Amino acid sequence: MAIDAEPVTIRNIDVPFWRIVVILIKWSIAAIPAAIVVGLLYALIFFLLSVIGLGVFEWAGIPIPEIPTPPTPSP
């Protein structure tokens, strides 16, 4: 920035209402794939942490309990 530059103040920006509506619709559409990518990253991180956690349990000799299944009704 030059030393002799003067500060500038923006007092008004004139943007038509429908242009703002179009921009917001584009942002909301663009947010859908971004949310999917973030969700997949969270799922991957959770999966890796659970695999590491189970590996530590087995390495330490801590038994991992079996999940009981409900009995099936007899016909």
Side-chain angles (χ1 to χ4, degrees):
M1 183 170 166
I3 296 174
D4 59 346
E6 295 183 25
V8 176
T9 303
I10 298 174
R11 296 183 185 264
N12 190 11
I13 297 175
D14 188 21
V15 180
F17 173 75
W18 290 109
R19 181 65 183 148
I20 294 174
V21 169
V22 169
I23 290 171
L24 291 176
I25 290 172
K26 286 181 180 182
W27 284 354
S28 62
I29 291 172
I32 295 170
I36 292 171
V37 168
V38 169
L40 290 175
L41 285 174
Y42 279 149
L44 178 66
I45 290 170
F46 182 74
F47 173 75
L48 290 175
L49 288 176
S50 64
V51 167
I52 290 171
L54 290 175
V56 168
F57 276 137
E58 288 194 17
W59 174 76
I62 300 171
I64 300 172
E66 294 287 328
I67 299 175
T69 57
T72 55
S74 57

